Amino acid sequence: MKTCSSYLDVKKPEHAVKLFIRFALAKGAVGYGLELMMALFSVIQGMVSTIMQNSGFGGDSDVIELPAEMVEKIESVGLLDSIPLWIVTLLGSLFITVLSFIMILTVYGRMFKLYMYTAIAPIPIATFAGEPTQNIGKNFVRSYAGVCMEGAIIALCPCIIFSVFAASPPAIADSSLSAVNIVWNYVAELIFNLLVLVGAIKAADRIVKEIMGL
């Protein structure tokens, strides 16, 4: 109604047909909102699947094994010397566990965002019925596409970044060092690699906004 200059314009057949078509399209979009959201999600999911398949991530080659020199050094450590080694190992395990939980929470947080977007989809989609409010629906679709695209960015992070780290695990710089120093250097480099991975995953939403404006 607001798009017409006066009430008399609504009586014109072309305006009435235009309003009816807009209402019918909005009604169909609201009624099939879940199907529309799932169709968009399937497109992005296909991109993620293609990334995962082409990268070969998840195979047996991604398993990181300790270097033989490091294993030999650890096995030759005595009882007293093993105490600081245990401390270093426990600290490293704590940091790695915390970073792993942050990555898991980030991925699961994105999943819950998708659920919430899909649950409230009929409300912003209904705004397409009015020309003054249609920008709300457009912004919602863009935001939903951005959340879906975060999955592709998150898939790229482990597939490209972490797979490279897994293919070349932290090396032992000097085998003449003590077992504690070797383990500490190894764990510190591994933690640094995980920090880079966590930072890339946490920045997935910002990357999508900067690259695609979603």
Side-chain angles (χ1 to χ4, degrees):
M1 301 292 291
K2 190 176 180 180
T3 58
C4 303
S5 58
S6 66
Y7 178 72
L8 296 176
D9 292 337
V10 184
K11 295 182 179 180
K12 297 180 181 179
E14 59 272 18
H15 286 286
V17 171
K18 180 181 178 181
L19 293 175
F20 177 77
I21 293 176
R22 178 181 286 274
F23 170 77
L25 292 176
K27 179 65 171 63
V30 171
Y32 296 96
L34 179 60
E35 287 75 8
L36 293 175
M37 295 294 102
M38 291 302 299
L40 182 57
F41 177 78
S42 299
V43 173
I44 307 298
Q45 190 66 24
M47 296 172 55
V48 175
S49 300
T50 302
I51 293 172
M52 298 293 287
Q53 292 174 2
N54 292 338
S55 64
F57 181 74
D60 296 335
S61 59
D62 298 320
V63 179
I64 301 178
E65 296 182 356
L66 294 175
E69 301 89 346
M70 186 174 178
V71 175
E72 183 179 353
K73 279 279 187 180
I74 294 174
E75 291 178 349
S76 62
V77 172
L79 179 60
L80 295 178
D81 294 335
S82 64
I83 295 176
L85 187 61
W86 274 101
I87 296 175
V88 172
T89 305
L90 289 175
L91 290 175
S93 301
L94 179 61
F95 277 108
I96 293 173
T97 302
V98 171
L99 293 175
S100 300
F101 272 110
I102 293 175
M103 286 189 289
I104 293 173
L105 289 175
T106 303
V107 175
Y108 274 92
R110 172 187 166 270
M111 293 174 58
F112 282 111
K113 285 170 65 177
L114 288 174
Y115 293 149
M116 288 187 290
Y117 269 80
T118 306
I120 66 172
I123 299 176
I125 288 178
T127 60
F128 281 110
E131 189 171 347
T133 59
Q134 64 183 356
N135 288 331
I136 299 176
K138 293 179 180 179
N139 293 333
F140 172 79
V141 174
R142 282 199 297 266
S143 299
Y144 182 78
V147 175
C148 292
M149 281 298 299
E150 289 180 22
I153 301 299
I154 292 174
L156 283 171
C157 292
C159 288
I160 294 180
I161 299 177
F162 194 72
S163 61
V164 172
F165 291 153
S168 56
I172 300 176
D174 188 2
S175 58
S176 63
L177 297 175
S178 63
V180 177
N181 291 331
I182 291 177
V183 172
W184 177 253
N185 293 335
Y186 187 90
V187 171
E189 188 173 348
L190 182 60
I191 291 175
F192 175 77
N193 294 341
L194 288 175
L195 283 173
V196 175
L197 178 60
V198 172
I201 292 177
K202 294 287 289 183
D205 56 342
R206 189 172 69 252
I207 293 174
V208 172
K209 290 179 182 179
E210 291 177 355
I211 295 178
M212 306 187 66
L214 298 176

